[in-house]
């Protein structure tokens, strides 16, 4: 008999398309059918502000260095150049009262890649817990790895522990009844746009320590926090270095969605069964990637310069102002609105009687505005809708006006 090549059958359990690809496909089709409609994209969280000049200068200077024999560089250190790891350690942690050493920081091309790949260093028998709604990467990559079990319509994957985040619990996950080994948390949250308070985060750290679980903490939106007491890093919580990994990104903070640079923190103290996760991740990364390009790492370093930091602050203020325009404008139009204070995302309740996808279609048809249906993030997202503050001020205002005119109650 012929030997048949076997594929990874777990892929067959996934939805046909990644959420944002599905949205892009629908919008493309709509545009082709309605070329006269001006589309305003408030769907995927992609930035629009140009990079700060100091960042561009650093990238250009580094590119020129690559063109001179004396300063040319080949492969860099897999986990990132010391200049960037030290700048991160100092600016994002030590100066904020948290000790994270450069050798606990792994530079990469994105928090999406890192949150999606981190599962490589964990056993496939582990029980995974995720918030519902959730950034789909955490679930989809665990499906690919075989940790998710079978998909049950209306319930989700049989082996995944879903932690509902609803209006009734302030959109904060509760400690699950079933034991979980790998707990994915994202704060400020994607998609709900809400942050977590210190006491609640401490509750998660205590749970993980008592239950020998690991928290996979996605802090990609940390730069949007405006409330002074809100934790910006899980490592502000005592004991977290023994139970948590944290993911950070320059994408939304510094406008790097098209540049690609992020980092993951794996403390040296994070040891399970006598094995250091820092060592495992280093082994994984040095085997599967050759790091991030030198000009990009110089650009990321420049984010911490005085000029670079000023430019970043201005861009963040611009997006925050957009979030305020959406929050206030939509509330005035009668929508129930959440988020947008410590996050670039605004989470709204769709009008009574419509599903999230029905609202998506109606909104596109009537206003040309693209958002993300809450149900795309999980069953508990049904009835909700996410808008981003990353478009221009003009487009944000226009979108809110059009939505107001069409749906005002
Ligand atoms: C989102 O819109 O949720 C994000 O842009 C997705 C991502 O960062 O990969």
């Amino acid at each position: 008999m012929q030997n048949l090549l076997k594929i990874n059958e777990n892929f067959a359990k996934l939805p046909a398309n990644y959420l944002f690809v599905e949205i892009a496909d629908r919008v493309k089709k709509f545009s082709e059918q309605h070329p006269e409609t001006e589309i305003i994209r408030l769907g995927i969280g992609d930035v629009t502000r140009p990079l700060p000049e100091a960042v561009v200068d650093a990238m250009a200077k580094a590119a020129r260095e690559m063109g001179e024999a004396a300063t040319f560089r080949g492969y860099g250190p897999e986990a990132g150049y010391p200049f960037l790891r030290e700048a991160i350690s100092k600016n994002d942690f030590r100066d904020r009262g948290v000790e994270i050493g450069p050798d606990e920081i792994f530079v990469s091309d994105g928090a999406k890649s890192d949150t999606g790949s981190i599962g490589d260093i964990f056993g496939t028998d582990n029980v995974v817990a995720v918030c519902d709604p959730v950034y789909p990467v955490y679930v989809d990559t665990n499906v690919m790895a075989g940790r998710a079990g079978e998909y049950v319509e209306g319930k989700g994957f049989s082996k995944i522990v879903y932690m509902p985040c609803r209006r009734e619990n302030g959109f904060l996950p509760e400690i699950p009844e079933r034991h979980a080994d790998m707990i994915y948390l994202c704060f400020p949250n994607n998609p709900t746009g809400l942050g977590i308070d210190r006491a609640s985060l401490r509750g998660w750290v205590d749970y993980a320590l008592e239950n020998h679980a690991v928290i996979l903490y996605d802090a990609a939106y940390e730069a949007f926090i405006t409330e002074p007491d809100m934790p910006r890093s899980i490592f502000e919580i005592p004991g977290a270095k023994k139970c948590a990994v944290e993911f950070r990104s320059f994408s939304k903070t510094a406008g790097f969605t098209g540049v690609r640079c992020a980092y993951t923190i794996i403390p040296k103290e994070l040891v399970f069964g006598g094995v250091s996760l820092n060592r495992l991740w280093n082994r994984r990364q040095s085997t599967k990637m050759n790091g991030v390009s030198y000009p990009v790492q110089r650009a990321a370093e420049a984010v911490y310069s005085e000029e670079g930091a000023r430019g970043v602050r201005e861009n963040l203020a611009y997006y925050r102002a957009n979030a305020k325009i959406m929050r206030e404008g939509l509330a005035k139009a009668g929508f129930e609105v959440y988020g947008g204070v410590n996050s670039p995302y605004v989470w709204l309740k769709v009008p009574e009687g419509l599903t999230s996808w029905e609202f998506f279609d109606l909104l596109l048809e009537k206003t040309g505005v693209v958002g993300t249906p809450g149900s795309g993030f999980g069953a508990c997202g049904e009835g909700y809708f996410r808008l981003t503050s990353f478009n221009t001020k003009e487009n944000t205002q226009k979108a809110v006006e059009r939505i107001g005119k069409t749906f005002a109650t």
Side-chain angles (χ1 to χ4, degrees):
M1 201 181 99
Q2 197 185 355
N3 282 330
L4 287 178
L5 171 87
K6 296 192 180 58
I7 51 132
N8 179 348
E9 286 174 6
N10 292 314
F11 276 67
K13 301 174 185 172
L14 290 168
N17 274 336
Y18 178 59
L19 175 62
F20 294 105
V21 173
E22 174 70 29
I23 291 172
D25 285 354
R26 290 196 188 207
V27 175
K28 185 165 175 277
K29 200 164 146 212
F30 177 85
S31 283
E32 282 161 5
Q33 286 164 356
H34 304 272
E36 71 293 349
T37 307
E38 182 208 12
I39 304 284
I40 301 180
R41 293 171 201 276
L42 307 181
I44 191 163
D46 196 3
V47 292
T48 51
R49 302 289 300 153
L51 297 169
E53 209 176 306
V55 171
V56 176
D57 288 347
M59 195 168 6
K61 179 170 174 276
R64 279 193 299 273
E65 282 177 41
M66 298 296 271
E68 300 285 337
T71 48
F72 171 78
R73 299 185 187 224
Y75 291 127
E78 291 90 353
Y81 280 102
F83 63 77
L84 180 56
R85 297 170 90 189
E86 274 155 24
I88 293 168
S89 164
K90 175 182 181 312
N91 292 280
D92 286 347
F93 296 96
R94 200 176 323 129
D95 289 358
R96 294 181 184 171
V98 179
E99 253 338 295
I100 294 289
D103 53 359
E104 297 177 301
I105 294 164
F106 295 84
V107 175
S108 77
D109 71 330
K112 181 182 186 180
S113 324
D114 286 355
T115 54
S117 304
I118 194 76
D120 280 11
I121 64 169
F122 296 107
T124 46
D125 291 343
N126 286 323
V127 175
V128 169
V130 295
C131 293
D132 180 6
V134 66
Y135 179 45
V137 170
Y138 316 151
V139 174
D140 289 5
T141 54
N142 277 296
V143 173
M144 292 173 187
R147 270 187 214 100
E150 298 308 318
Y151 187 74
V152 184
E153 198 55 48
K155 287 197 169 160
F157 287 93
S158 57
K159 288 190 182 164
I160 289 192
V161 175
Y162 292 92
M163 304 181 290
C165 299
R166 296 195 172 95
R167 181 172 47 179
E168 295 73 27
N169 58 10
F171 297 99
L172 278 185
E174 287 158 31
I175 303 281
E177 280 164 22
R178 235 173 96 197
H179 169 81
D181 303 296
M182 295 162 61
I183 303 161
Y184 289 80
L185 296 178
C186 171
F187 288 106
N189 188 257
N190 180 11
T192 67
L194 288 156
I196 192 166
D197 60 277
R198 202 168 290 274
S200 302
L201 191 54
R202 181 168 298 142
W204 282 104
V205 169
D206 291 346
Y207 171 83
L209 290 172
E210 275 160 29
N211 292 275
H212 306 285
V214 68
I215 298 175
L216 302 167
Y217 194 73
D218 187 348
Y221 301 95
E222 157 277 330
F224 290 84
I225 292 177
T226 54
E227 288 175 39
D229 287 343
M230 191 165 273
R232 302 178 76 112
S233 165
I234 194 166
F235 300 120
E236 289 175 32
I237 309 294
K241 284 188 189 171
K242 290 190 170 14
C243 66
V245 169
E246 181 167 298
F247 305 92
R248 293 274 190 109
S249 174
F250 292 94
S251 282
K252 318 293 157 90
T253 310
F256 272 46
T257 52
V259 177
R260 311 306 310 147
C261 197
Y263 63 90
T264 287
I265 300 138
I266 312 209
K268 291 275 181 68
E269 289 172 49
L270 196 57
V271 175
F272 285 87
V275 180
S276 155
L277 295 197
N278 180 292
R279 197 179 60 71
L280 284 194
W281 186 244
N282 194 36
R283 184 72 175 84
R284 190 264 175 212
Q285 290 298 81
S286 51
T287 305
K288 291 200 178 182
M289 77 176 291
N290 272 322
V292 175
S293 80
Y294 173 66
V296 164
Q297 292 194 56
R298 281 295 185 199
E301 181 194 27
V303 165
Y304 300 107
S305 66
E306 209 180 307
E307 281 292 295
R310 184 176 321 126
V312 163
R313 271 197 307 275
E314 282 167 13
N315 285 349
L316 289 170
Y318 183 96
Y319 296 134
R320 273 193 205 113
N322 283 350
K324 189 162 185 271
I325 292 171
M326 288 196 291
R327 259 184 9 243
E328 292 177 355
L330 294 169
K332 208 166 142 212
F335 282 94
E336 208 177 297
V337 186
Y338 302 93
V341 176
N342 298 297
S343 152
Y345 297 128
V346 167
W347 187 240
L348 54 112
K349 189 99 189 68
V350 306
E352 215 44 55
L354 292 177
T355 66
S356 300
W357 276 111
E358 283 165 357
F359 184 64
F360 173 90
D361 288 333
L362 198 64
L363 192 66
L364 186 57
E365 190 192 311
K366 301 269 186 219
T367 69
V369 175
V370 180
T372 310
S375 56
F377 298 102
C380 294
E382 183 56 277
Y384 289 90
F385 203 74
R386 195 194 77 175
L387 295 175
T388 90
S389 62
F390 287 125
N391 211 309
T392 61
K393 180 179 176 190
E394 295 69 30
N395 279 344
T396 305
Q397 275 168 336
K398 214 188 284 181
V400 170
E401 274 161 31
R402 288 190 199 167
I403 298 173
K405 267 197 204 127
T406 314
F407 295 96
T409 50

